[in-house]
Amino acid sequence: EPEVTQTPSHQVTQMGQEVILRCVPISNHLYFYWYRQILGQKVEFLVSFYNNEISEKSEIFDDQFSVERPDGSNFTLKIRSTKLEDSAMYFCASSESGAGYNEQFFGPGTRLTVL
Amino acid sequence: SQKIEQNSEALNIQEGKTATLTCNYTNYSPAYLQWYRQDPGRGPVFLLLIRENEKEKRKERLKVTFDTTLKQSLFHITASQPADSATYLCALGFTGGGNKLTFGTGTQLKVEL
């Protein structure tokens, strides 16, 4: 069964450093998403991406964040200058289309720890 | 802003019984609602999607209802098993925009022998 994969599973970084989280969405999916979950809290939407551009972003997704689809398979989230409060699980998700009635499939997550 | 409420307390039930989890929301009715299962340290796993014009959806031992008048969705697991123990999340989706999902805090279900 096709699945979303993410690397690394755990990333530890120093405050102020740049990190890139990587995702490989399901191959025939067209919509891609990033969510995050701070420990003990709910899953929060960050950004959605379609046709090589951002469709929607939340207030969390400020200038420190960027997304890119550098090739036909990878989808990345970059945090330019990490803060302590960026420590969270980051989940990539994808859906078949943007019709709005399509289930989103999530990856296993990357645990980001900012020291 | 949209508020989503799920039972904050853990739900403990006996194996074989039906578990019923509640998702209430305020303000605007979503175009669709999705239920996910999440195990500790793992990503949400999609279970069921129900649209605003659907009253009920079933998949094997799972059933979801959607009442836009009450602004509520109920999620049922029949013949529950210890392997069903997990946190269950409801997520609201709206048409237009970028298909973002707005999640509730989840309800932890524990099925005991």
Side-chain angles (χ1 to χ4, degrees):
Chain A
E1 190 175 319
E3 56 183 21
V4 176
T5 59
Q6 290 185 242
T7 54
S9 56
H10 192 184
Q11 173 95 45
V12 181
T13 189
Q14 295 289 327
M15 193 168 58
Q17 294 296 302
E18 174 183 288
V19 295
I20 298 176
L21 310 183
R22 300 177 197 281
C23 167
V24 178
I26 294 172
S27 63
N28 64 333
H29 284 188
L30 300 177
Y31 257 81
F32 315 117
Y33 313 85
W34 284 100
Y35 291 81
R36 79 170 187 192
Q37 186 175 31
I38 294 170
L39 187 64
Q41 298 187 24
K42 60 184 177 181
V43 176
E44 299 176 289
F45 170 81
L46 292 177
V47 66
S48 59
F49 190 86
Y50 171 70
N51 201 26
N52 273 323
E53 57 184 31
I54 290 173
S55 301
E56 188 174 0
K57 59 183 182 179
S58 71
E59 291 173 357
I60 304 168
F61 194 89
D62 61 21
D63 292 345
Q64 293 300 311
F65 291 86
S66 62
V67 289
E68 194 179 27
R69 186 149 163 86
D71 54 45
S73 57
N74 289 284
F75 180 51
T76 61
L77 174 70
K78 183 195 289 187
I79 309 175
R80 283 191 190 81
S81 178
T82 49
K83 306 183 191 97
L84 294 175
E85 53 265 36
D86 293 329
S87 295
M89 280 287 277
Y90 286 81
F91 296 111
C92 173
S94 68
S95 63
E96 200 171 311
S97 84
Y101 296 114
N102 276 262
E103 47 269 18
Q104 294 183 21
F105 293 93
F106 284 70
T110 293
R111 179 172 298 285
L112 176 64
T113 303
V114 182
L115 302 175
Chain B
S1 62
Q2 192 77 11
K3 246 186 172 181
I4 304 167
E5 290 175 357
Q6 295 188 251
N7 317 53
S8 55
E9 290 180 17
L11 181 63
N12 293 342
I13 63 165
Q14 244 185 336
E15 183 179 20
K17 301 288 186 189
T18 296
T20 298
L21 285 67
T22 306
C23 177
N24 294 302
Y25 59 90
T26 60
N27 298 339
Y28 309 109
S29 273
Y32 57 97
L33 208 144
Q34 302 192 26
W35 282 88
Y36 288 83
R37 169 188 173 135
Q38 188 175 31
D39 292 283
R42 310 290 294 270
V45 175
F46 172 79
L47 296 174
L48 280 170
L49 180 152
I50 187 165
R51 302 183 187 192
E52 61 185 334
N53 59 350
E54 296 174 321
K55 294 275 188 231
E56 183 180 297
K57 236 359 180 351
R58 289 174 187 262
K59 181 182 172 183
E60 297 171 356
R61 294 186 296 113
L62 309 180
K63 184 177 90 171
V64 173
T65 62
F66 192 7
D67 189 327
T68 55
T69 304
L70 292 178
K71 296 191 176 183
Q72 182 181 79
S73 174
L74 298 178
F75 178 77
H76 307 271
I77 306 174
T78 57
S80 59
Q81 305 163 1
D84 295 326
S85 299
T87 296
Y88 291 85
L89 312 176
C90 78
L92 275 54
F94 298 84
T95 52
N99 299 325
K100 84 173 192 187
L101 291 176
T102 304
F103 281 84
T105 49
T107 298
Q108 189 176 8
L109 172 68
K110 188 170 179 186
V111 181
E112 297 162 336
L113 291 168

